[in-house]
Amino acid sequence: MSVLPPDRERLRILETFLTFSLDQVREKIAYLEQQAAIHRRSRLEVTPDWVLERGIGQGAPPVAVHVGGCHMAGKRVRTLQRDQAVRALAEGVEACCHCRPDTALGVLD
């Protein structure tokens, strides 16, 4: 015994509904695959060991040295090598009080 309607008109309606549903499922699959790819790429990005946060404006002075990945580092950062981070701290650039790069570098006042 078939669960499908016997007439062509209702079968066409059912076909339209199923086609629409299948399109939605395919769109959702494509979206989830795209999100998974973005997540994989973000995990592969390398976090620098040290970053220098700069102030606002062209030629603004440095604001703070952070351990790479510090949640308090702003958007205006540039990557530093270990010796550059030590030099910046020695020159008076403030160490972030959250990630304590001065402690991690072994440079305490």
Side-chain angles (χ1 to χ4, degrees):
M1 180 172 193
S2 175
V3 294
L4 296 175
D7 59 292
R8 186 175 46 171
E9 183 179 326
R10 286 189 286 175
L11 284 170
R12 290 287 182 200
I13 292 170
L14 183 59
E15 176 186 36
T16 302
F17 172 76
L18 291 174
T19 301
F20 175 74
S21 296
L22 182 59
D23 289 343
Q24 285 186 317
V25 168
R26 286 179 175 157
E27 286 176 16
K28 183 68 172 191
I29 289 170
Y31 171 79
L32 292 174
E33 288 173 345
Q34 180 184 29
Q35 294 301 309
I38 290 169
H39 181 69
R40 278 192 305 274
R41 279 194 304 270
S42 69
R43 284 193 342 226
L44 295 176
E45 292 177 5
V46 177
T47 303
D49 291 334
W50 318 102
V51 294
L52 180 69
E53 181 179 5
R54 302 196 71 74
I56 298 173
Q58 186 71 11
V63 175
V65 176
H66 297 271
V67 172
C70 175
H71 67 280
M72 292 302 291
K75 293 181 180 179
R76 297 172 311 277
V77 296
R78 73 174 179 94
T79 302
L80 294 177
Q81 300 295 324
R82 185 182 195 289
D83 61 323
Q84 293 172 315
V86 170
R87 189 173 333 114
L89 292 170
E91 291 172 357
V93 178
E94 191 173 320
C96 173
C97 63
H98 294 270
C99 62
R100 301 305 308 182
D102 49 352
T103 303
L105 289 164
V107 179
L108 296 172
D109 291 332

